[in-house]
Amino acid sequence: MDFLLECIGFPPGTDRDDLIRRVRDQGEPVPWRGDPSSHRRLPLADGLELRLDREVDQDFWTLLPHFKVPYRLRVAVESLVAVPDSPFDALLIGWAAPPAPEAPESEGEGAYRLAAWLTDARRLPKRLARNHVLAVSVAGFALEVSYIGPNEGVRDRDILELPHGAFVAPLTGSDSPGGCSEVSLRVKEIRHLRNPITGLTVDVLITDAPERPLMLFLSPWQLFNDGLRQARPGWRIEGTFLFTGRIEGGLPGPKRRLKRAFG
C-alpha cells in the first residue's frame, strides 16, 4: 500500500526501507498499540504523520499515513470487527451524524454510512451495543479518484439533493478492502502542509458533509497519470477512500458499585 504514501508527499520510487529506518530511529511509540519498538509514529506536520507497525510473528513492516483530524464526528455503531492479524485495529461501520435520541424516527439512522479503521482499538470494551455513539476523528486517503470538476459533472444528480450534496457509502463487495468508502463530495477549502522529508506540498481537501467536514488526501501523481485536474474549492471530488482514525470520545465509563448508606 505504498501508493497511499503518495497522498502525503512521498513520490513514486521513494526508498521505503530508508523511511522505515527513519521512523524506527527518529519516531516515538504509538499509544494503545503494544510493543513500542514495533509500533512507531513519526510526526511530519500539523497532525500529519507516518505510522510503522509490525505484529507478533510477522517478518515485515507496515508503513501507512495517518492524520489527526482536529474535530470529532459522531458515529452510531452498526458493526465493530476486530482483526486477528492486526490486534490493535478495529473496523468500524456505522451511521455518521445520528439523530438525537429524542428525535422522531422519521429522521432516519444518520446522515450517511461510513466505514473506517480505528487504530486505537485497545481502548474499546469487549462488547459495545449496536447504535452506541462513538466520537471519532477520521481522514480519508485516496485509493482511486474517478472525477474532479464542477458539480455539473456529478455522476448522479440526485446526490445534489442530499444534505450538503454529500454521498458516502462503504464498499460492500466480498473482495472489497475494509475501511473503504465511496464518496461524492464538494470541496469547501484546500489547506497546504509541507512534508519536511521530501520538501513537497501536501494538499488537504476539506469537503462538505453533514455535522463535520471530511478531510481527504490525494496523490498528485495518481491524478496526473489518470488525466484528472487538480481540485479546486467549489468543485466536486468522487472516488474511493480508505478512512482511518481514532476514538475521541463516547466510550462507556467504568461501572460503579452503588453503596447504600444506613444511619
Side-chain angles (χ1 to χ4, degrees), residues 20-263:
I20 289 174
R21 285 191 294 268
R22 186 186 293 261
V23 180
R24 293 183 69 184
D25 294 343
Q26 302 176 15
E28 57 192 42
V30 183
W32 303 103
R33 290 192 70 83
D35 183 353
S37 66
S38 298
H39 303 277
R40 311 286 290 173
R41 60 184 291 269
L42 181 65
L44 299 176
D46 298 323
L48 196 64
E49 61 186 50
L50 280 171
R51 288 283 183 93
L52 183 66
D53 294 284
R54 184 170 63 183
E55 307 302 344
V56 176
D57 298 328
Q58 288 183 349
D59 59 358
F60 61 90
W61 292 94
T62 299
L63 186 65
L64 292 172
H66 186 80
F67 183 71
K68 181 169 172 48
V69 173
Y71 41 74
R72 303 176 173 191
L73 174 67
R74 294 178 306 122
V75 179
V77 174
E78 184 176 293
S79 65
L80 196 57
V81 181
V83 182
D85 60 355
S86 186
F88 307 114
D89 296 311
L91 175 57
L92 169 69
I93 297 179
W95 284 93
E102 64 275 9
E105 293 186 4
S106 59
E107 291 194 13
E109 297 181 86
Y112 57 87
R113 290 177 74 234
L114 177 71
W117 285 106
L118 300 180
T119 62
D120 52 353
R122 287 180 69 183
R123 300 176 62 193
L124 292 165
K126 291 183 179 180
R127 295 180 181 177
L128 204 59
R130 183 182 176 91
N131 294 325
H132 179 91
V133 177
L134 292 173
V136 301
S137 61
V138 294
F141 300 90
L143 297 179
E144 180 265 343
V145 177
S146 56
Y147 176 74
I148 295 179
N151 273 321
E152 289 74 17
V154 65
R155 61 174 191 169
D156 183 347
R157 295 198 64 83
D158 289 343
I159 290 174
L160 301 179
E161 304 303 318
L162 296 173
H164 296 252
F167 172 84
V168 182
L171 298 186
T172 56
S174 58
D175 57 347
S176 298
C180 297
S181 291
E182 185 181 9
V183 312
S184 177
L185 298 162
R186 184 179 66 86
V187 179
K188 295 178 61 177
E189 176 187 352
I190 300 177
R191 298 179 188 171
H192 306 287
L193 305 178
R194 180 180 176 275
N195 182 321
I197 296 176
T198 64
L200 297 176
T201 298
V202 177
D203 292 340
V204 188
L205 275 58
I206 316 298
T207 63
D208 198 7
E211 188 169 275
R212 295 288 186 272
L214 289 175
M215 305 183 80
L216 305 179
F217 292 81
L218 314 176
S219 163
W221 297 277
Q222 178 197 17
L223 299 184
F224 177 80
N225 290 337
D226 292 343
L228 296 171
R229 293 173 282 185
Q230 295 293 321
R232 300 180 188 177
W235 278 13
R236 178 163 295 272
I237 181 166
E238 297 183 334
T240 302
F241 287 77
L242 172 70
F243 283 88
T244 68
R246 54 175 290 168
I247 305 163
E248 299 288 355
L251 291 172
K255 294 182 179 180
R256 298 179 179 178
R257 294 183 178 180
L258 298 178
K259 295 183 179 179
R260 179 175 298 175
F262 295 91

